[in-house]
């Protein structure tokens, strides 16, 4: 099953509801993400990925960070940038 990432960008300088929501959750930094009930402050991609059942692995050729599903065992990955094919275990 594919799970997409849906999020709504809200400007707390204009959006009072969004600002109240963050204050209620005691979020002090922006940008912030709320995924289910977890709050991720700032662009902490590792945290976000971990909440979304994905992991990040670098391409073995060009080091581009690739997002791959977790807990799949050994999987074949094709880098979208350099088209390098390699196997990794998640
Ligand atoms: Zn690559």
């Amino acid at each position: 099953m594919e799970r997409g990432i849906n999020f709504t960008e809200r400007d707390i300088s204009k959006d009072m509801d969004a600002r109240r929501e963050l204050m209620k959750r005691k979020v002090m930094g922006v940008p912030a993400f709320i995924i289910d009930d977890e709050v991720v402050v700032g662009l902490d991609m590792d945290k976000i990925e971990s909440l979304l059942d994905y992991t990040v692995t670098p391409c073995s050729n060009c080091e581009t960070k690739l997002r791959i599903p977790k807990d799949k065992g050994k999987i074949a990955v094709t880098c979208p940038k350099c088209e390098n094919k390699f196997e990794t275990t998640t």
Side-chain angles (χ1 to χ4, degrees):
M1 281 259 283
E2 282 277 324
R3 178 152 62 140
I5 304 173
N6 295 306
F7 69 94
T8 309
E9 191 173 354
R10 300 173 80 177
D11 182 350
I12 61 164
S13 68
K14 301 193 187 92
D15 186 335
M16 286 301 153
D17 286 343
R19 190 193 296 227
R20 266 196 294 273
E21 176 73 13
L22 289 177
M23 284 171 66
K24 202 171 72 188
R25 290 166 181 267
K26 300 193 166 46
V27 174
M28 306 309 281
V30 286
F33 296 85
I34 299 167
I35 298 171
D36 298 328
D37 280 331
E38 284 259 23
V39 178
V40 181
V41 179
L43 286 171
D44 185 349
M45 286 313 292
D46 289 344
K47 183 79 187 287
I48 293 165
E49 298 295 343
S50 75
L51 292 170
L52 292 169
D53 302 326
Y54 283 90
T55 189
V56 173
T57 196
C59 170
S60 63
N61 182 50
C62 72
E63 303 284 305
T64 297
K65 287 193 168 125
L66 306 174
R67 206 173 61 132
I68 56 172
K70 269 202 264 187
D71 304 322
K72 297 285 182 206
K74 202 176 187 185
I75 59 168
V77 181
T78 304
C79 175
K81 198 170 174 187
C82 71
E83 298 189 346
N84 175 45
K85 291 182 171 64
F86 63 101
E87 286 189 334
T88 190
T89 305
T90 62

